[in-house]
Amino acid sequence: MRKFLLIGLLILCAVSAGAQSSSVKRLESQRAQLEKDIELLNRKLSQNSKSSSEALSSLTLVRRKISAREQLIASYDQTLNLLNDSLRICQRELNRVQARRDTLAYYYSRLVKGAYKNRDSRLWYMYVLSSNSVGQAFNRFGYLRNLSSQMSQQALKLKEAEAELQVQKTRLNKLKAEAEKVRKKVVDERTQLRSEEGDASKMVDKLKKDRKTYEKQLKEKNRQKQELNRKIADMIRQQTKKQSSGGGKKGAGSKTTSTTVDTKLSNEFAANRGKLPWPVEGTIVERFGKHNHPVYQNVQLPQNNGVTLVVRRGAPVKAVFNGTVSQIVVLPGYNQCVLVNHGEYFTLYSKLKSVSVKAGQKITTGQEVGTVDTIGGEDLFHFELWKGSDPQNPENWLKR
């Protein structure tokens, strides 16, 4: 029974260790992405200081970096908790092995003492010959014969226990070293976070001090966003109207061009909710929906119908799904914008410097649409996803 309990404990420890190892790896992957985001944001802040006079843009980047740093610290805290759990489990296992080893050593010592007392072979013979009966003689002979075998077995068990003890000690020391390393990283990250919060505070003070200057810039950006919202909604409304009418027209070479909704494509697009690839690699700096100004809290910004990401300079932009390019337009503040139709769904790729597709062209998932432009010293990409005339939160549709 005791053997089965021991096996059960070992299995439980192994399963627990495996689950913790998997969690630690997941957290390591998460931290790698966060550190990549922070590196990109640092690079963009450095470029901003040289080419952009907008403190609001820098404040947005710093606050996004602070958010990423907070997530990074939380990830390290979770890892530390997992390592501490592993340390407790390992220490319990070490104590168990130590106790088993001490017990084996005690009994082995007794066997050695018994063998030492009976080391003279003549005493062994006398012990057997002085038996009161043949049965007793056989029993005494069997005891003496097995004594050597027991000593060998006990010595082997003791050796195995000592080896297992060493393994557990090595594992415990390794876990302690890992935990100490993570603790140091948490301290370093918190120091960085305090520095970044100081930077953000200075930028807020600057924005408050020069409110008139930045309100003028904000007014222009808001006008550009409202124009984008109006234009895209109008483009989608026109396309949806054509589709609902079910009409077709003769194109060049008497080729019929259909504008009816592709139901199959719509269903395929909808089925991929939460699994669509991101159109570009970057870090979100402005999310979907309505938001107040980060400094002038009584000022509400225009509805953001998509997400805006900071990306590396000249980053390639790719289609998130199969579709047909509906239209390509140029808008102030957003440069070239590509609208792609996916049945009753639409995706918008904007702030592009170059465009590698044309209106009416069928494109496939992952096909390059264009490259991101640098506007006012900023490398930002804006993406939207619509279902008919209703803008959707892209984060609900793209891979998490």
Side-chain angles (χ1 to χ4, degrees), residues 149-160:
S149 176
Q150 288 177 24
M151 285 180 62
S152 297
Q153 290 175 10
Q154 200 73 1
L156 182 61
K157 288 180 181 178
L158 181 60
K159 189 175 181 180
E160 289 173 350

Side-chain angles (χ1 to χ4, degrees), residues 228 231-232 235 325-332 334-339 348-352 355:
L228 174 76
K231 182 66 177 177
I232 299 307
M235 288 164 61
V325 178
S326 292
Q327 201 169 339
I328 299 170
V329 295
V330 177
L331 294 171
Y334 291 86
N335 206 348
Q336 298 193 78
C337 307
V338 177
L339 183 69
L348 175 76
Y349 310 80
S350 60
K351 292 183 177 281
L352 303 181
V355 172

Side-chain angles (χ1 to χ4, degrees), residues 120 133 174 230 236 295 312 343 348 350 370:
D120 191 336
S133 66
K174 184 180 177 182
R230 186 196 65 75
I236 290 174
V295 178
R312 66 180 175 82
L348 175 76
S350 60

Side-chain angles (χ1 to χ4, degrees), residues 111-152:
L111 282 171
V112 169
K113 286 179 181 178
Y116 180 80
K117 289 178 181 178
N118 298 291
R119 65 190 183 281
D120 191 336
S121 60
R122 289 175 297 175
L123 292 176
W124 288 33
Y125 293 131
M126 290 291 293
Y127 180 61
V128 174
L129 293 173
S130 63
S131 302
N132 295 324
S133 66
V134 174
Q136 188 181 51
F138 272 112
N139 287 338
R140 288 183 174 182
F141 178 76
Y143 165 75
L144 294 172
R145 184 185 62 188
N146 290 333
L147 182 60
S148 177
S149 176
Q150 288 177 24
M151 285 180 62
S152 297

Side-chain angles (χ1 to χ4, degrees), residues 266-307:
S266 295
N267 292 338
E268 288 174 353
F269 189 93
N272 279 275
R273 181 184 173 94
K275 296 181 287 186
L276 296 173
W278 284 82
V280 69
E281 187 176 343
T283 303
I284 295 175
V285 290
E286 187 179 350
R287 289 192 147 84
F288 178 85
K290 287 187 176 180
H291 307 280
N292 285 335
H293 190 279
V295 178
Y296 317 134
Q297 291 298 315
N298 59 332
V299 177
Q300 190 176 70
L301 302 175
Q303 163 79 16
N304 184 19
N305 287 331
V307 290

Side-chain angles (χ1 to χ4, degrees), residues 7-23 89 171:
I7 292 171
L9 177 62
L10 289 172
I11 291 173
L12 181 63
C13 288
V15 170
S16 175
Q20 287 176 336
S21 176
S22 176
S23 296
I89 291 170
R171 179 168 174 249

